[in-house]
Amino acid sequence: MMEYVKQPKEIEDKSMKIIRPYLEGMDLSEEEIAVYSRTIHASGDVEYAKLVTTSQDAVAAGLNALKNGADIYCDVEMVRTGINKKALAQLGGEVFCQVSAPEIAEAAKAEGITRSIAAMRAYGKRLDGNIVAIGNAPTALYEVLRLCSEENIRPVLIVGIPVGFVGAAESKEALVEQAPVPFVTVRGNKGGSPIAASVINALLYLLVQRTQMLYIEPNK
Amino acid sequence: MMEYVKQPKEIEDKSMKIIRPYLEGMDLSEEEIAVYSRTIHASGDVEYAKLVTTSQDAVAAGLNALKNGADIYCDVEMVRTGINKKALAQLGGEVFCQVSAPEIAEAAKAEGITRSIAAMRAYGKRLDGNIVAIGNAPTALYEVLRLCSEENIRPVLIVGIPVGFVGAAESKEALVEQAPVPFVTVRGNKGGSPIAASVINALLYLLVQRTQMLYIEPNK
């Protein structure tokens, strides 16, 4: 019989100890370290220590919003799946993703835009005071920036972490340069759904007393 | 108004062209290049070119199984979410994940094991002739290897790509050394749900004529 660590809580504590040295000397608060650590934990990639970029107020803004029951609007189902909905529910928040809804497919076709754009556009005013979490589609992130600039929509936090080689890095630079609200992103090509979800979960775990249940399956 | 590429098909084609040079000179078949490319596409990380490891027969075995309607058994919901179920359904296959089922939580508690182990153990014989896709839990991967060695279970392909700093790399080395069946993995700490799903999707897209619908949201 193979011998290996079977306790998720123990695995996570050990992981965080291994990750910590990569974040030393970076002038981060303990809360920011929790966010950065979880992106490294989710990717298995210590380079995230250098790639994560946040506005100065982002972590505080996210914590404050979640504490007050903010909802989370995602670009794709994988981000929704990755967010710990039990922890979020304890704070009164919900996660939404409508990219697969038939009416969004119709709107996208009618307007000649991607479903990711159509989904964010359809949320519109609902994003005010809530959190946006984007882990896949540069087009969704651009649309949220357009909603901010042209329609004066104001999420409290944009977690914008699309992944890939065409448009993703550019969309994240646009976020850094143009976001009129707090943001968390990852510079360059890397990113993706589990990274976006990990940022939200890091914030949640700073607020919610995690039970053994939550430790066993942090992504459920 | 910001200008950016809005056509998913175009984005994907461009991405694959950018990724291709990183796979030159590696003695890979076109089908293997498709699999490797999609892990890079999903992570935004060209290092996957050097980290992906497959048994020689893995891609052929996966294609053959999917063509014959094989099902896919996942360790976590994020892998299930990431797999293109429309494409899989066209071939007659289904995706399963029971880690969140109440009876699995009960079995885990009763036996003092993780839910990931309990879920794979409960599948048991159902894995025979089907595909296992693991993107999160080293414990699930170890359990599948135990099912193979101690209970003579024989999936046709193990996609084993847990992520992290404690146990993940070791579990993947165990897969490389011990798997009695074809496998795809990623050496070291990197990996995760979108990477495991991307391997399955790469195989699916070699078999299924993708429609514009599928291109727009490949992860739905």
Side-chain angles (χ1 to χ4, degrees):
Chain A
M1 184 61 200
M2 286 160 277
E3 284 305 319
Y4 55 94
V5 184
K6 294 190 188 69
Q7 295 309 317
K9 174 76 172 73
E10 193 187 328
I11 291 172
E12 182 168 313
D13 290 348
K14 270 196 178 182
S15 298
M16 292 305 171
K17 260 182 215 147
I18 292 168
I19 291 167
R20 181 86 190 205
Y22 293 97
L23 299 169
E24 293 297 340
M26 283 182 69
D27 192 25
L28 300 171
S29 69
E30 277 304 311
E31 287 78 10
E32 286 168 336
I33 285 175
V35 170
Y36 280 60
S37 296
R38 198 153 282 273
T39 67
I40 295 172
H41 184 67
S43 60
D45 184 353
V46 297
E47 212 204 341
Y48 276 86
K50 289 176 281 179
L51 299 176
V52 174
T53 302
T54 74
S55 60
Q56 218 183 347
D57 48 352
V59 169
L63 290 171
N64 196 47
L66 290 170
K67 217 184 293 175
N68 290 309
D71 295 324
I72 298 167
Y73 290 84
C74 308
D75 64 331
V76 290
E77 288 292 340
M78 277 192 90
V79 176
R80 173 156 71 176
T81 306
I83 290 172
N84 190 320
K85 284 162 285 292
K86 280 185 198 168
L88 183 63
Q90 285 184 51
L91 298 165
E94 265 189 90
V95 196
F96 298 96
C97 177
Q98 63 181 356
V99 73
S100 302
E103 62 271 25
I104 294 301
E106 277 166 40
K109 211 174 172 185
E111 299 179 48
I113 55 180
T114 69
R115 291 202 285 150
S116 300
I117 295 175
M120 284 297 156
R121 193 169 294 180
Y123 283 134
K125 275 277 168 210
R126 287 179 63 186
L127 303 180
D128 275 338
N130 290 307
I131 294 172
V132 173
I134 293 173
N136 187 296
T139 58
L141 183 49
Y142 279 121
E143 176 62 14
V144 171
L145 291 175
R146 191 196 66 77
L147 286 168
C148 290
S149 68
E150 295 182 12
E151 303 187 23
N152 207 29
I153 303 293
R154 288 290 179 273
V156 284
L157 173 68
I158 301 173
V159 177
I161 314 184
V163 59
F165 296 87
V166 178
E170 294 85 343
S171 73
K172 293 181 283 189
E173 289 307 313
L175 176 67
V176 172
E177 284 160 28
Q178 298 166 30
V181 299
F183 64 84
V184 178
T185 190
V186 170
R187 292 188 121 129
N189 301 324
K190 292 181 180 179
S193 304
I195 314 305
S198 78
V199 170
I200 302 293
N201 288 339
L203 296 173
L204 290 172
Y205 300 155
L206 287 166
L207 294 169
V208 170
Q209 186 65 43
R210 295 170 71 189
T211 63
Q212 180 62 18
M213 188 80 188
L214 292 174
Y215 274 115
I216 286 175
E217 278 298 332
N219 279 338
K220 288 299 107 44
Chain B
M1 184 64 199
M2 286 161 278
E3 283 307 316
Y4 54 95
V5 184
K6 295 190 188 70
Q7 295 310 317
K9 172 76 173 74
E10 192 186 329
I11 291 173
E12 183 167 312
D13 290 347
K14 269 197 179 182
S15 298
M16 291 306 172
K17 259 183 217 149
I18 293 168
I19 290 166
R20 183 83 189 209
Y22 293 96
L23 299 168
E24 293 297 339
M26 284 182 68
D27 193 25
L28 300 171
S29 69
E30 277 304 311
E31 287 79 9
E32 286 167 335
I33 284 175
V35 170
Y36 280 60
S37 297
R38 200 153 281 275
T39 67
I40 295 172
H41 183 67
S43 60
D45 185 353
V46 297
E47 211 203 344
Y48 276 85
K50 290 176 282 181
L51 298 175
V52 174
T53 302
T54 74
S55 60
Q56 218 183 347
D57 48 353
V59 169
L63 290 171
N64 197 46
L66 289 171
K67 215 183 296 177
N68 291 306
D71 295 324
I72 298 167
Y73 290 83
C74 308
D75 64 331
V76 290
E77 289 292 339
M78 276 193 89
V79 177
R80 173 156 69 174
T81 305
I83 290 172
N84 191 319
K85 283 162 286 291
K86 281 185 197 168
L88 183 63
Q90 285 184 50
L91 299 164
E94 265 189 89
V95 196
F96 297 97
C97 178
Q98 63 181 357
V99 73
S100 301
E103 61 271 26
I104 294 301
E106 277 166 40
K109 211 174 172 187
E111 298 180 50
I113 56 180
T114 69
R115 291 201 285 150
S116 300
I117 296 175
M120 285 297 157
R121 193 169 294 178
Y123 283 133
K125 275 277 169 208
R126 287 179 62 185
L127 303 181
D128 275 340
N130 290 307
I131 294 173
V132 174
I134 292 173
N136 186 297
T139 59
L141 182 50
Y142 280 120
E143 176 63 14
V144 171
L145 291 174
R146 191 197 66 76
L147 287 166
C148 290
S149 68
E150 294 182 12
E151 303 187 24
N152 208 31
I153 303 293
R154 288 290 179 272
V156 283
L157 174 67
I158 302 173
V159 177
I161 314 185
V163 59
F165 297 85
V166 178
E170 295 86 340
S171 73
K172 293 182 283 189
E173 288 307 312
L175 175 68
V176 172
E177 284 160 27
Q178 299 166 31
V181 300
F183 64 84
V184 178
T185 190
V186 170
R187 291 188 122 129
N189 301 324
K190 293 181 180 180
S193 304
I195 315 304
S198 79
V199 170
I200 302 293
N201 287 339
L203 297 172
L204 290 172
Y205 300 153
L206 287 166
L207 294 169
V208 170
Q209 186 63 42
R210 294 169 74 189
T211 64
Q212 180 62 16
M213 188 82 189
L214 292 173
Y215 274 115
I216 286 175
E217 279 297 328
N219 280 337
K220 288 297 106 45

mmCIF file of all heavy atoms in Angstrom, chain B residues 73-96:
data_model
loop_
_atom_site.group_PDB
_atom_site.id
_atom_site.type_symbol
_atom_site.label_atom_id
_atom_site.label_comp_id
_atom_site.label_asym_id
_atom_site.label_seq_id
_atom_site.Cartn_x
_atom_site.Cartn_y
_atom_site.Cartn_z
ATOM 1 N N TYR B 73 -14.535 9.664 -15.992
ATOM 2 C CA TYR B 73 -14.736 9.765 -14.547
ATOM 3 C C TYR B 73 -13.747 10.775 -13.974
ATOM 4 O O TYR B 73 -12.539 10.589 -14.085
ATOM 5 C CB TYR B 73 -14.557 8.384 -13.897
ATOM 6 C CG TYR B 73 -15.695 7.463 -14.260
ATOM 7 C CD1 TYR B 73 -15.698 6.759 -15.459
ATOM 8 C CD2 TYR B 73 -16.800 7.332 -13.422
ATOM 9 C CE1 TYR B 73 -16.762 5.939 -15.810
ATOM 10 C CE2 TYR B 73 -17.873 6.522 -13.758
ATOM 11 C CZ TYR B 73 -17.848 5.837 -14.957
ATOM 12 O OH TYR B 73 -18.915 5.044 -15.302
ATOM 13 N N CYS B 74 -14.291 11.833 -13.344
ATOM 14 C CA CYS B 74 -13.461 12.945 -12.871
ATOM 15 C C CYS B 74 -13.348 12.948 -11.342
ATOM 16 O O CYS B 74 -14.250 12.482 -10.652
ATOM 17 C CB CYS B 74 -14.087 14.271 -13.282
ATOM 18 S SG CYS B 74 -14.485 14.375 -15.033
ATOM 19 N N ASP B 75 -12.266 13.539 -10.850
ATOM 20 C CA ASP B 75 -12.120 13.653 -9.389
ATOM 21 C C ASP B 75 -12.887 14.848 -8.828
ATOM 22 O O ASP B 75 -13.371 14.787 -7.702
ATOM 23 C CB ASP B 75 -10.644 13.723 -8.971
ATOM 24 C CG ASP B 75 -9.930 14.954 -9.488
ATOM 25 O OD1 ASP B 75 -10.310 15.483 -10.549
ATOM 26 O OD2 ASP B 75 -8.955 15.393 -8.830
ATOM 27 N N VAL B 76 -12.963 15.946 -9.575
ATOM 28 C CA VAL B 76 -13.630 17.152 -9.059
ATOM 29 C C VAL B 76 -14.553 17.759 -10.118
ATOM 30 O O VAL B 76 -14.394 17.522 -11.313
ATOM 31 C CB VAL B 76 -12.620 18.238 -8.603
ATOM 32 C CG1 VAL B 76 -11.885 17.805 -7.337
ATOM 33 C CG2 VAL B 76 -11.644 18.590 -9.716
ATOM 34 N N GLU B 77 -15.478 18.563 -9.625
ATOM 35 C CA GLU B 77 -16.474 19.186 -10.501
ATOM 36 C C GLU B 77 -15.841 20.089 -11.550
ATOM 37 O O GLU B 77 -16.358 20.227 -12.650
ATOM 38 C CB GLU B 77 -17.484 19.997 -9.673
ATOM 39 C CG GLU B 77 -18.447 19.157 -8.848
ATOM 40 C CD GLU B 77 -19.425 18.372 -9.722
ATOM 41 O OE1 GLU B 77 -19.644 18.745 -10.885
ATOM 42 O OE2 GLU B 77 -19.959 17.370 -9.225
ATOM 43 N N MET B 78 -14.720 20.743 -11.213
ATOM 44 C CA MET B 78 -14.124 21.652 -12.184
ATOM 45 C C MET B 78 -13.653 20.917 -13.433
ATOM 46 O O MET B 78 -13.686 21.469 -14.528
ATOM 47 C CB MET B 78 -12.961 22.436 -11.571
ATOM 48 C CG MET B 78 -13.418 23.668 -10.813
ATOM 49 S SD MET B 78 -12.034 24.778 -10.415
ATOM 50 C CE MET B 78 -11.991 25.821 -11.874
ATOM 51 N N VAL B 79 -13.193 19.683 -13.295
ATOM 52 C CA VAL B 79 -12.799 18.914 -14.480
ATOM 53 C C VAL B 79 -14.036 18.607 -15.307
ATOM 54 O O VAL B 79 -14.051 18.805 -16.526
ATOM 55 C CB VAL B 79 -12.046 17.618 -14.104
ATOM 56 C CG1 VAL B 79 -11.722 16.818 -15.362
ATOM 57 C CG2 VAL B 79 -10.774 17.936 -13.337
ATOM 58 N N ARG B 80 -15.092 18.165 -14.635
ATOM 59 C CA ARG B 80 -16.338 17.878 -15.358
ATOM 60 C C ARG B 80 -16.838 19.125 -16.088
ATOM 61 O O ARG B 80 -17.245 19.059 -17.248
ATOM 62 C CB ARG B 80 -17.427 17.377 -14.402
ATOM 63 C CG ARG B 80 -18.764 17.238 -15.112
ATOM 64 C CD ARG B 80 -19.719 16.267 -14.480
ATOM 65 N NE ARG B 80 -20.244 16.702 -13.191
ATOM 66 C CZ ARG B 80 -21.184 16.050 -12.539
ATOM 67 N NH1 ARG B 80 -21.675 14.924 -13.022
ATOM 68 N NH2 ARG B 80 -21.614 16.485 -11.383
ATOM 69 N N THR B 81 -16.795 20.253 -15.394
ATOM 70 C CA THR B 81 -17.257 21.503 -16.012
ATOM 71 C C THR B 81 -16.439 21.846 -17.251
ATOM 72 O O THR B 81 -16.966 22.324 -18.250
ATOM 73 C CB THR B 81 -17.158 22.666 -14.991
ATOM 74 O OG1 THR B 81 -17.886 22.312 -13.823
ATOM 75 C CG2 THR B 81 -17.725 23.955 -15.560
ATOM 76 N N GLY B 82 -15.128 21.590 -17.175
ATOM 77 C CA GLY B 82 -14.243 21.980 -18.263
ATOM 78 C C GLY B 82 -14.332 21.113 -19.504
ATOM 79 O O GLY B 82 -13.935 21.536 -20.597
ATOM 80 N N ILE B 83 -14.835 19.903 -19.353
ATOM 81 C CA ILE B 83 -14.915 18.994 -20.502
ATOM 82 C C ILE B 83 -16.084 19.379 -21.405
ATOM 83 O O ILE B 83 -17.179 19.673 -20.924
ATOM 84 C CB ILE B 83 -15.042 17.529 -20.012
ATOM 85 C CG1 ILE B 83 -13.712 17.095 -19.378
ATOM 86 C CG2 ILE B 83 -15.448 16.592 -21.150
ATOM 87 C CD1 ILE B 83 -13.749 15.750 -18.681
ATOM 88 N N ASN B 84 -15.855 19.374 -22.697
ATOM 89 C CA ASN B 84 -16.896 19.723 -23.664
ATOM 90 C C ASN B 84 -17.887 18.562 -23.781
ATOM 91 O O ASN B 84 -17.680 17.599 -24.524
ATOM 92 C CB ASN B 84 -16.287 20.045 -25.027
ATOM 93 C CG ASN B 84 -17.312 20.651 -25.957
ATOM 94 O OD1 ASN B 84 -18.463 20.214 -25.988
ATOM 95 N ND2 ASN B 84 -16.911 21.665 -26.708
ATOM 96 N N LYS B 85 -18.981 18.698 -23.042
ATOM 97 C CA LYS B 85 -19.938 17.602 -22.954
ATOM 98 C C LYS B 85 -20.764 17.429 -24.232
ATOM 99 O O LYS B 85 -21.237 16.332 -24.527
ATOM 100 C CB LYS B 85 -20.830 17.814 -21.725
ATOM 101 C CG LYS B 85 -20.089 17.448 -20.428
ATOM 102 C CD LYS B 85 -20.710 18.021 -19.176
ATOM 103 C CE LYS B 85 -20.451 19.493 -19.035
ATOM 104 N NZ LYS B 85 -19.035 19.857 -18.749
ATOM 105 N N LYS B 86 -20.921 18.528 -24.979
ATOM 106 C CA LYS B 86 -21.629 18.407 -26.259
ATOM 107 C C LYS B 86 -20.827 17.545 -27.230
ATOM 108 O O LYS B 86 -21.377 16.691 -27.921
ATOM 109 C CB LYS B 86 -21.856 19.785 -26.882
ATOM 110 C CG LYS B 86 -23.002 20.542 -26.269
ATOM 111 C CD LYS B 86 -23.239 21.842 -27.034
ATOM 112 C CE LYS B 86 -24.078 22.801 -26.203
ATOM 113 N NZ LYS B 86 -24.084 24.149 -26.765
ATOM 114 N N ALA B 87 -19.524 17.802 -27.288
ATOM 115 C CA ALA B 87 -18.665 17.014 -28.182
ATOM 116 C C ALA B 87 -18.641 15.551 -27.737
ATOM 117 O O ALA B 87 -18.746 14.632 -28.553
ATOM 118 C CB ALA B 87 -17.254 17.598 -28.186
ATOM 119 N N LEU B 88 -18.534 15.346 -26.418
ATOM 120 C CA LEU B 88 -18.493 13.980 -25.883
ATOM 121 C C LEU B 88 -19.791 13.236 -26.190
ATOM 122 O O LEU B 88 -19.766 12.052 -26.573
ATOM 123 C CB LEU B 88 -18.238 14.027 -24.372
ATOM 124 C CG LEU B 88 -18.095 12.690 -23.652
ATOM 125 C CD1 LEU B 88 -16.889 11.906 -24.168
ATOM 126 C CD2 LEU B 88 -17.976 12.902 -22.141
ATOM 127 N N ALA B 89 -20.909 13.940 -26.034
ATOM 128 C CA ALA B 89 -22.217 13.313 -26.269
ATOM 129 C C ALA B 89 -22.372 12.869 -27.721
ATOM 130 O O ALA B 89 -23.009 11.855 -28.012
ATOM 131 C CB ALA B 89 -23.340 14.281 -25.894
ATOM 132 N N GLN B 90 -21.747 13.613 -28.641
ATOM 133 C CA GLN B 90 -21.811 13.231 -30.058
ATOM 134 C C GLN B 90 -21.178 11.866 -30.296
ATOM 135 O O GLN B 90 -21.485 11.180 -31.262
ATOM 136 C CB GLN B 90 -21.094 14.267 -30.929
ATOM 137 C CG GLN B 90 -21.878 15.562 -31.111
ATOM 138 C CD GLN B 90 -21.174 16.517 -32.056
ATOM 139 O OE1 GLN B 90 -20.779 16.129 -33.152
ATOM 140 N NE2 GLN B 90 -21.014 17.742 -31.629
ATOM 141 N N LEU B 91 -20.252 11.493 -29.412
ATOM 142 C CA LEU B 91 -19.576 10.197 -29.539
ATOM 143 C C LEU B 91 -20.233 9.132 -28.663
ATOM 144 O O LEU B 91 -19.814 7.983 -28.641
ATOM 145 C CB LEU B 91 -18.096 10.344 -29.165
ATOM 146 C CG LEU B 91 -17.298 11.314 -30.039
ATOM 147 C CD1 LEU B 91 -15.988 11.682 -29.358
ATOM 148 C CD2 LEU B 91 -17.036 10.689 -31.410
ATOM 149 N N GLY B 92 -21.220 9.548 -27.876
ATOM 150 C CA GLY B 92 -21.928 8.590 -27.021
ATOM 151 C C GLY B 92 -21.404 8.510 -25.602
ATOM 152 O O GLY B 92 -21.844 7.661 -24.819
ATOM 153 N N GLY B 93 -20.475 9.380 -25.236
ATOM 154 C CA GLY B 93 -19.894 9.324 -23.892
ATOM 155 C C GLY B 93 -20.550 10.286 -22.916
ATOM 156 O O GLY B 93 -21.230 11.232 -23.316
ATOM 157 N N GLU B 94 -20.314 10.014 -21.632
ATOM 158 C CA GLU B 94 -20.831 10.870 -20.554
ATOM 159 C C GLU B 94 -19.710 11.177 -19.569
ATOM 160 O O GLU B 94 -18.731 10.437 -19.478
ATOM 161 C CB GLU B 94 -21.924 10.111 -19.782
ATOM 162 C CG GLU B 94 -23.324 10.390 -20.227
ATOM 163 C CD GLU B 94 -24.314 9.754 -19.254
ATOM 164 O OE1 GLU B 94 -24.703 10.395 -18.266
ATOM 165 O OE2 GLU B 94 -24.673 8.577 -19.486
ATOM 166 N N VAL B 95 -19.887 12.254 -18.796
ATOM 167 C CA VAL B 95 -18.901 12.591 -17.757
ATOM 168 C C VAL B 95 -19.516 12.379 -16.385
ATOM 169 O O VAL B 95 -20.643 12.797 -16.143
ATOM 170 C CB VAL B 95 -18.462 14.070 -17.830
ATOM 171 C CG1 VAL B 95 -17.178 14.273 -17.024
ATOM 172 C CG2 VAL B 95 -18.263 14.517 -19.245
ATOM 173 N N PHE B 96 -18.747 11.778 -15.487
ATOM 174 C CA PHE B 96 -19.225 11.546 -14.125
ATOM 175 C C PHE B 96 -18.296 12.168 -13.095
ATOM 176 O O PHE B 96 -17.070 12.177 -13.269
ATOM 177 C CB PHE B 96 -19.340 10.043 -13.846
ATOM 178 C CG PHE B 96 -20.342 9.356 -14.725
ATOM 179 C CD1 PHE B 96 -19.927 8.690 -15.879
ATOM 180 C CD2 PHE B 96 -21.689 9.393 -14.411
ATOM 181 C CE1 PHE B 96 -20.852 8.062 -16.711
ATOM 182 C CE2 PHE B 96 -22.623 8.768 -15.234
ATOM 183 C CZ PHE B 96 -22.201 8.095 -16.387
#
